[in-house]
Amino acid sequence: YLFLFALLFLFLFVINLNAQVVIHKNLNIEDGLVYSQVLFIHEDQQGYMWFGTSSGISRWDGISFKNFILPEDLSDNNCKWIAEFPNGTLFFSTRKGIVEYKNDKFTKIPNTPPQLNHWIHSMMVSDDNRLFIAADTSGLWIYDGQSFSNISSKNGLPSNSVQALAKGSKGQMYI
């Protein structure tokens, strides 16, 4: 029995080693990426890889890039964060606010508070389909798809400077 156990253990160990082979591919501006400084990467529900860069947004389909340069009146091209609602709507944060991508069209979210037209440190979608936005000096903002609400030091946060958001394994939000 000891021999069979050792043989089984060795067999399982070898299978695990073979399963850990990782294939890497470097993508850069020669491949069509809009800019070489990537600030955030997101894989959407359709399998596209979205790259937020300092000079625009690139979408990779596994073969080629499609690049998006936003008009100045819509937003800024410095894209720092990407988040996605379960319905497939994507949100991009820039230095001039938050832009929504739905039905192959970019639009600026109406009634975006002016405090969000500056640096946003993080964005994350909660399990109950709300967009949480960590702002530099105005606390935590929550967008429910219709309107924004704010949680600041006036109503419970220890500081108005929220730097990061994370989601726990059971859906908890860490600020």
Side-chain angles (χ1 to χ4, degrees):
Y1 289 105
L2 185 58
F3 176 73
L4 289 175
F5 177 74
L7 189 59
L8 180 62
F9 178 76
L10 182 60
F11 178 71
L12 292 174
F13 182 70
V14 171
I15 289 174
N16 277 340
L17 287 177
N18 289 333
Q20 294 179 15
V21 174
V22 178
I23 298 171
H24 295 281
K25 177 172 174 70
N26 294 323
L27 300 170
N28 55 45
I29 55 177
E30 286 81 24
D31 298 304
L33 185 67
V34 71
Y35 190 69
S36 61
Q37 185 181 22
V38 175
L39 303 172
F40 196 81
I41 301 171
H42 174 78
E43 182 178 6
D44 71 15
Q45 296 169 16
Q46 297 176 342
Y48 290 114
M49 297 298 296
W50 292 84
F51 297 85
T53 77
S54 297
S55 295
I57 299 165
S58 292
R59 184 181 72 191
W60 172 255
D61 62 8
I63 298 169
S64 62
F65 282 103
K66 180 174 183 180
N67 295 317
F68 302 92
I69 306 296
L70 302 177
E72 193 171 317
D73 62 332
L74 180 61
S75 191
D76 182 81
N77 283 308
N78 188 313
C79 176
K80 292 190 70 168
W81 290 97
I82 306 168
E84 183 176 11
F85 271 12
N87 68 3
T89 300
L90 292 167
F91 295 92
F92 300 87
S93 74
T94 73
R95 291 184 293 194
K96 291 185 180 177
I98 301 170
V99 178
E100 177 182 70
Y101 182 78
K102 180 168 55 174
N103 301 323
D104 295 324
K105 184 179 177 188
F106 286 95
T107 54
K108 193 164 186 176
I109 296 176
N111 303 317
T112 300
Q115 296 92 324
L116 295 178
N117 291 337
H118 300 289
W119 291 104
I120 293 172
H121 288 294
S122 183
M123 292 192 321
M124 181 174 293
V125 176
S126 67
D127 287 347
D128 61 353
N129 301 327
R130 295 181 298 162
L131 180 65
F132 281 65
I133 305 156
D136 188 34
T137 60
S138 59
L140 179 69
W141 291 84
I142 302 169
Y143 180 65
D144 63 8
Q146 302 294 319
S147 61
F148 290 89
S149 57
N150 179 247
I151 301 170
S152 67
S153 61
K154 293 178 184 175
N155 51 9
L157 278 182
S159 168
N160 280 342
S161 181
V162 179
Q163 300 293 313
L165 301 170
K167 189 185 296 187
S169 61
K170 295 179 180 143
Q172 319 91 309
M173 296 290 293
Y174 295 98
I175 302 167

